[in-house]
Amino acid sequence: MHNAAFAALGLDWVYVPFPVDAADLGTAVAAVRALGLAGINVTVPHKQAVLAHCDALTPLARRVGAVNTIVNRAGHLLGDNTDVHGFAQTLREARLHLRGRHAVVIGAGGAARAVLAALAESGAARITLANRTPARARALARRRRGVRIDVVPLATLAGAATLAEAALVVNTTSAALSGADFPPLAYAATPPGCLFADLLYNHPTAFLAAARQARRRTIDGGAMLLHQGARAFTLWTGRRAPIAVMRQALQ
Ligand code: ATR
């Protein structure tokens, strides 16, 4: 999508993937400076470890505790996080208004961090954070101020009570990628207007299939991917991102 956007704006730029081992992360980031690259995206599993290799962080990246975009300003590497914008924009496109309402987040890994940051700014009255390992969710919940977060074991969502007022249920876990079974949730206990969102894209998940079966609205991670990329494009190039071109390229 970035190469399509560069072409559409007549920019002689290119976006290429570099698989990097964890042991080489510092050297890889230093190469951005040495090679004079305009910037990079950073993805799984380096989004948290890369913080230590940036020259500075935006307040948002520091708050989230994860960097997915680095901008090279004359050799000074600024770590930012555009995943938060990507998820917030996904909710806007879905016309989901969370002010005063209840959101449920499943998972407490790196992906959950950006979702929680976006939800904290959405005006949601409360968030329930459900994770297979509750201790990990508690550690994550302690980092967030300004919004009430209740932590529950994932198995709690099999009962109706926790989901009865949910306006949004987000799956941030990697369960579907490892082919693991997803635990049973009380999908039909949610209000009929509840939106089920998964961060994975181009990958059918048991979570969204079950939500559809319960006749609930669903959305995958495609919109988040698009909008985090559009924000990164603007940070690097200083140009407005051609969203339609990027969306088309993704499809
Ligand atoms: P990411 O950075 O992509 O979020 P991660 O940090 O490894 O990846 O986090 C993965 C998340 O998916 C965790 O919340 C993990 O639960 P645990 O904290 O209990 O490990 C969750 N997860 C992975 N496989 C799962 C499964 N089969 N069932 C339920 N949760 C799962």
Side-chain angles (χ1 to χ4, degrees):
M1 69 177 160
H2 284 295
N3 288 327
F6 295 144
L9 297 191
L11 295 172
D12 186 18
W13 292 42
V14 66
Y15 187 102
V16 288
F18 296 105
V20 173
D21 288 337
D24 296 326
L25 185 58
T27 319
V29 174
V32 173
R33 229 182 263 114
L35 299 175
L37 307 185
I40 54 172
N41 278 136
V42 181
T43 191
V44 174
H46 302 308
K47 287 184 187 184
Q48 286 156 258
V50 82
L51 264 75
H53 302 291
C54 297
D55 296 319
L57 300 172
T58 61
L60 178 65
R62 188 171 300 115
R63 219 164 47 240
V64 175
V67 160
N68 80 320
T69 302
I70 293 178
V71 183
N72 181 5
R73 300 210 192 288
H76 185 259
L77 302 185
L78 179 65
D80 204 342
N81 189 305
T82 71
D83 285 331
V84 179
H85 167 79
F87 189 70
Q89 196 62 24
T90 299
L91 297 182
R92 256 174 244 127
E93 273 188 2
R95 298 188 195 289
L96 186 71
H97 304 291
L98 286 174
R99 185 156 296 284
R101 303 180 72 191
H102 179 212
V104 177
V105 177
I106 304 170
R113 289 167 177 257
V115 167
L116 286 175
L119 291 179
E121 283 158 27
S122 72
R126 64 188 177 101
I127 297 169
T128 298
L129 186 56
N131 199 40
R132 184 175 59 180
T133 314
R136 211 170 161 207
R138 276 194 293 276
L140 192 54
R142 269 197 295 278
R143 290 178 55 89
R144 301 239 65 84
R145 278 174 284 255
V147 62
R148 176 181 150 195
I149 302 183
D150 302 316
V151 171
V152 299
L154 184 48
T156 303
L157 301 185
T162 313
L163 293 173
E165 291 179 359
L168 171 72
V169 183
V170 191
N171 178 24
T172 74
T173 74
S174 47
L177 288 181
S178 61
D181 282 342
F182 201 70
L185 306 193
Y187 295 92
T190 57
C194 182
L195 176 70
F196 284 79
D198 203 309
L199 299 196
L200 293 181
Y201 47 88
N202 288 345
H203 194 100
T205 65
F207 170 76
L208 290 188
R212 269 194 297 275
Q213 199 151 26
R215 309 183 69 80
R216 296 297 183 268
R217 197 153 69 104
T218 61
I219 188 166
D220 76 0
M224 181 173 177
L225 175 68
L226 169 68
H227 290 293
Q228 64 75 31
R231 172 66 58 104
F233 181 95
T234 297
L235 290 173
W236 296 321
T237 65
R239 304 280 296 271
R240 183 196 293 262
I243 298 269
V245 169
M246 296 174 82
R247 196 189 302 270
Q248 178 72 39
L250 272 181
Q251 280 163 3

